[in-house]
Every structure is written in structure tokens, then in C-alpha cells.
Amino acid sequence: MLKLHAGVSKKVGLPGFSSASASCTIEAELDSSLLQDHDGFQTVVRRAYQSCEKAVEDQIARLLVQGNPTPISPVCVPDAPEHPQTTNGPQTRSQSPSRAFQPVTQEAIEVRTSPAISGATVTRIPAAQSTNQPSPRPATASQVKAIRAIAARRKIDLVGLLRERFGLTTADELGIRQASSLIDELKSDEPTTAGTNGNGAYAAGGAR
Amino acid sequence: MIAGVGEALLPVLKPTKPASTNPANEVAKKITGRDYVSWSAISTFRTCPLKYKFRYIDGLPEESVSSALVFGTGIHSAVEQHYQAALSGEEQPDVDRLMFAYRSAWLPHDPDTIQFGSSETRASLDALAARMLTAFLNSPSASVQGRVLGVEEEIRGMLVEGVPDLYGRVDLLTEDTDTLVVTDIKTSRGKWSQEQVEDSGEQLLLYSHLASEISPGKKIATRFLVLTKTKEPVIEEHTREVDPVNVKRTLVGVERVWRAIESGVFYPAPSTVACAGCGYRSACRVWAG
């Protein structure tokens, strides 16, 4: 079985320190014969992303029309690094440590919006409030890289995990604290890596 | 199967930077083509304003690059790979893997343009790198105290009104229960004196100022991780708490440098030390104001 996860998210800055965002994720099972057809596979993946992009653009446009704001700056993040994901049938699935990490097996196309614009209305944060309570700092690039590396190593369905736990599509959308906790959690129930202590940090004297 | 969806080609959405709210960024973009200023740029100006002009305004390519610069970049890459692996819970990279990262720093450079010291060769520097990285892996510094938050982490923000955003990369960002630690990795000909620690702290002071939002309420410390390029390399750490008075002094210095750049105050600053390895010697010689 060949599985494809494709996702795109977009965030538009709005006046008054508010924003609107939308994301779209496609999860699909593909015919495994596509593995032998490089061009065909690339075409399918490209179309998946294009479909996501179109859905996200439409949703953002709807939100802007309803809220009537003028966007400041769009930030669109194709969710490429985690996908496409190839799994190896039931054997791989049985290695998943919890239900949260189970790969999704049915085809699903969904358009999700972030909590900030749930109900398709733009939520605007009063300027004074946003000044005093700045948005949480996003996860660092190295945290995102670490989460993806751990997920890949442990064959975890990262998209499913992020959606279930945080209501997010990509690791880039996590806050720095969320990312930190997730890394700790993912590492804590992993067999101890040789040479590392409980924090994932190495004990000294390890030159080999 | 999804092969039937999205037949029409749609414009590809690319990530874009958030809109700037700092008016000075536009000024910077007009002067240098970048909507920010880096510590490296500030530091270059302070070393030689004309070198700053050649590099950041005129965009002149350097005739040569110092082997020390490439070597330091390679050591940085190797040590950073070590900490990224720690963050990712991967097996500790051995010296061979770190050397692979180190060697990658040499690849972008034409060997003929690298300026080696009189007693240096590429082979001697590679051997030195292997000794330094082995010493690092055997040192307590290889073990992370607390939790890694970022490796080679980009930070950016406004420090002073009227000055463009400062953009930089923090080599290592860690935290424990009560302190956020901003670490800069350095290679050095020898052990650092206390004066060197104090004189080299400005960059970290500014980075720590920008990083303070990461762990509100925590103390912030700056830390130098120094790997000496000696026959028997030594790994030393210098950690200091951030002194707000020093931050203020550094900010004033940055503001004055930017005012000079804005005003077009560029002049050569001859120095027997700095000029020897400068990649703009020819351009400097023909400069007439």
C-alpha cells in the first residue's frame, strides 16, 4: 500500500494584530503500481498539493469577504517535508505505539480552519490585548526538524498525531512549548538511544 | 485515488515573510538590499567601515577567504549536528560523522581562493578538526544541560527605534528550570581570558535580548563554548548572566553604527591584523573616496 499525505496551510495577517488562517490536508491511498511510474507519482502528488492550495485560497477568500478585512501578509506553507509517506502494510501499522499514531487508512479530503477562525468568522484580537499578550513563539526550526525525524524513525503518522492532539496540520504550526513537550513525549516512550540520557542529551566521553 | 482532482494547474503558493512593522527596515532595504541588519554587518563596520561598504552595499565579491573562517564554519556545522542529533534523540554522531559535516563547509569554496596561514595546509587543518571534535565529544560540553530548544536558530526583531531589525542565528538555545541559555560556539587559537569573554559578549547580549520572549520570567544567560585550536585542544565554557547595563550600552553602539551607515560614512581603517587577511585589498587600494 502506498499512502499520500499532502497538506497546505496559509495564514494572512490582518490589521490589529489579528490573523486568519486555513489549512487543507489530503490523505489518500494510492495504487502501489505508482511506485514504478515516477512521472505518474509526481503528477498525483502535485495535483494533491494543487487541490489543497485551491481549497485553502478559496477558504481564505471566503473569510476575508465575510470579515471584510484587508490582509497584511500571506504566509503559505506547503506541508512537504513529512510527505509523501510510504508505509509497509499491517506490519508497519502494528508497530505504532498508540492509537493516536495509527495511520489513517481510508481516503479523506478535508478542509480545516484553525480555531481562530472556527465557524468561518474572523476573530479579531483587540490591539491592546494583543500588545500585552503576544502570540506564543512558534516552534524553532530545529524542533520541527527533530519532531519530523523522530516521527519518521518511529513510523508515526505525524499528520494524524498533530491533528488529534493539537488540531494542527503541520509541525511548523506548533508553539515552542508544545513542540518541546511533544519531543519529550515522543522520546520518552522510545527505547533509550545508545549514549543518551533521559533528556536525549548525551553523556560525556562518547567519542567513538 | 485522487488522480482526478485538481486537473488545472494552479499558481504555486510560496512562503512569504510576515509584514514588517519596523519603518527602518525599508531604509535598510534601500541601502543594502536587505530589510535587516546582522551582527556580522555591525561588526564588519566597526572593524572597517570601507569593508562594510564593499561587502554589504557594493556587493563586491571577496578575492579570497580566510582558511580560519572556513575552518570555523566547519567546526560549527559539526558541533551543531551533534546537538541537533541530541534534540532528535538520535544516536550520538561519532567523530567520522562530525568530520563529514565539517568537510561540507569547504565544498562551496574554490580551493584557490582560500588563504591559508604560513604553516597551514588543508590536511593539517583537517587533522586539527578531528582532534578538536574528539576533545569536544569527550568533554562535559557534549552533554546538554537541560533541554535543547534550538540549534542554529534564526532570530529577528527590533532592538532600537530607528534601527532595522537585527537578524542573527543563535548557535544553541537551551533552558533549564530557571534559566534560558544562549550559546555561541567559538574556535580560538588559545584559551580565552576574562577580557576576551567580556569583549566578545555584545553579540550574545543582543541575541539574548531578542530571545527573552521565548521563556518569559526566566533568567537569561549567555555562554561561550570555546574549542581551542591548540595541539591538544581544550573545550571551555564561559557562562554569564545578562547585565541590562551592558545590553543598553551595546544597543547604543548599534544605533550609532547604523546612523553612520545611513549617513554614508565609509572610510578605510588600516590595521596590520585585519588587512592581512582581507578579501578587499585590491578594491581598497584603488578607493579614493
Side-chain angles (χ1 to χ4, degrees):
Chain A
M1 180 184 67
L2 191 60
K3 285 190 65 197
L4 169 68
H5 292 188
V8 168
S9 62
K10 182 174 182 179
K11 188 174 185 180
V12 178
L14 300 174
F17 301 94
S18 61
S19 64
S21 62
S23 62
C24 172
T25 306
I26 288 176
E27 300 175 353
E29 290 182 11
L30 306 180
D31 191 321
S32 58
S33 65
L34 277 171
L35 274 180
Q36 314 301 322
D37 177 7
H38 180 261
D39 291 342
F41 176 75
Q42 294 298 332
T43 302
V44 170
V45 172
R46 191 163 53 244
R47 285 175 179 168
Y49 277 105
Q50 288 168 345
S51 299
C52 287
E53 287 163 7
K54 178 75 166 61
V56 165
E57 287 289 12
D58 288 351
Q59 180 68 0
I60 288 283
R62 275 195 295 276
L63 291 169
L64 294 179
V65 167
Q66 288 171 11
N68 200 28
T70 305
I72 294 172
S73 61
V75 178
C76 182
V77 185
D79 187 24
E82 287 150 11
H83 319 293
Q85 182 182 72
T86 307
T87 62
N88 193 23
Q91 192 177 8
T92 303
R93 243 174 280 156
S94 67
Q95 292 166 353
S96 298
S98 72
R99 289 189 63 194
F101 302 158
Q102 292 291 326
V104 179
T105 54
Q106 76 278 17
E107 177 179 335
I109 299 177
E110 62 174 9
V111 176
R112 264 190 337 100
T113 56
S114 75
I117 53 172
S118 60
T121 55
V122 179
T123 304
R124 302 185 64 168
I125 305 165
Q129 183 188 342
S130 64
T131 303
N132 295 331
Q133 299 174 334
S135 301
R137 196 192 192 286
T140 65
S142 35
Q143 284 180 317
V144 172
K145 191 173 168 185
I147 289 168
R148 287 176 175 152
I150 299 168
R153 189 169 67 234
R154 299 189 55 191
K155 298 180 172 62
I156 289 169
D157 171 20
L158 186 54
V159 172
L161 172 64
L162 291 169
R163 185 175 53 230
E164 185 167 310
R165 293 284 301 282
F166 302 101
L168 301 174
T169 311
T170 71
D172 311 72
E173 297 170 273
L174 290 167
I176 193 167
R177 296 286 151 217
Q178 289 174 316
S180 210
S181 301
L182 182 58
I183 290 169
D184 286 349
E185 184 184 318
L186 292 175
K187 289 199 296 196
S188 67
D189 53 353
E190 184 175 33
T192 307
T193 306
T196 63
N197 64 23
N199 296 323
Y202 305 123
R208 283 165 291 144
Chain B
M1 293 288 291
I2 58 169
V5 297
E7 290 289 338
L9 285 178
L10 301 170
V12 176
L13 303 173
K14 291 182 179 171
T16 54
K17 286 183 289 185
S20 162
T21 55
N22 182 353
N25 291 350
E26 284 306 310
V27 178
K29 196 165 186 179
K30 283 178 186 160
I31 297 174
T32 66
R34 304 169 173 191
D35 63 353
Y36 59 85
V37 64
S38 66
W39 176 257
S40 175
I42 297 286
S43 182
T44 300
F45 185 92
R46 297 205 305 189
T47 303
C48 175
L50 191 56
K51 183 176 184 178
Y52 171 89
K53 179 180 181 293
F54 288 152
R55 180 180 287 169
Y56 293 98
I57 296 182
D58 299 341
L60 291 185
E62 297 194 49
E63 300 151 14
S64 60
V65 59
S66 139
S67 61
L69 183 66
V70 185
F71 180 85
T73 304
I75 296 291
H76 261 82
S77 302
V79 173
E80 283 157 9
Q81 186 182 67
H82 169 87
Y83 288 123
Q84 180 66 47
L87 177 60
S88 302
E90 293 168 11
E91 191 175 344
Q92 177 180 324
D94 59 16
V95 175
D96 288 342
R97 264 186 70 194
L98 295 189
M99 282 299 289
F100 187 82
Y102 155 81
R103 288 193 182 94
S104 66
W106 294 83
L107 296 177
H109 301 282
D110 178 351
D112 293 336
T113 64
I114 298 174
Q115 196 171 4
F116 288 94
S118 56
S119 59
E120 286 176 352
T121 62
R122 171 66 198 275
S124 73
L125 289 178
D126 287 356
L128 174 60
R131 293 200 304 276
M132 289 168 69
L133 293 172
T134 301
F136 167 71
L137 289 175
N138 285 321
S139 74
S141 301
S143 182
V144 177
Q145 302 301 314
R147 170 190 278 170
V148 176
L149 292 179
V151 182
E152 184 72 350
E153 184 62 29
E154 288 182 13
I155 54 171
R156 176 179 171 144
M158 188 170 84
L159 290 173
V160 189
E161 200 169 326
V163 175
D165 290 355
L166 180 79
Y167 169 86
R169 286 175 183 268
V170 174
D171 290 341
L172 180 64
L173 200 54
T174 54
E175 69 172 0
D176 57 25
T177 49
D178 64 349
T179 309
L180 178 72
V181 183
V182 181
T183 297
D184 197 24
I185 301 164
K186 296 282 189 191
T187 56
S188 167
R189 289 178 183 275
K191 287 186 175 183
W192 274 22
S193 64
Q194 195 53 41
E195 286 73 25
Q196 273 177 292
V197 176
E198 287 168 11
D199 293 346
S200 305
E202 291 183 309
Q203 176 185 5
L204 278 186
L205 284 176
L206 297 183
Y207 287 0
S208 64
H209 198 61
L210 290 178
S212 59
E213 64 163 38
I214 291 172
S215 298
K218 284 195 177 182
K219 287 185 292 187
I220 302 183
T222 60
R223 171 177 171 260
F224 285 108
L225 174 60
V226 182
L227 290 77
T228 68
K229 299 191 279 187
T230 45
K231 192 172 180 183
E232 291 184 11
V234 175
I235 312 302
E236 54 179 15
E237 296 183 22
H238 301 276
T239 305
R240 306 176 71 191
E241 276 191 35
V242 172
D243 180 350
V245 175
N246 287 339
V247 174
K248 190 175 178 186
R249 181 178 182 278
T250 306
L251 291 176
V252 171
V254 168
E255 195 257 343
R256 298 296 153 85
V257 166
W258 180 250
R259 294 285 165 252
I261 293 170
E262 264 188 320
S263 307
V265 180
F266 304 113
Y267 53 89
S271 151
T272 49
V273 176
C275 294
C278 181
Y280 295 115
R281 286 175 71 89
S282 301
C284 185
R285 285 191 183 113
V286 299
W287 179 82

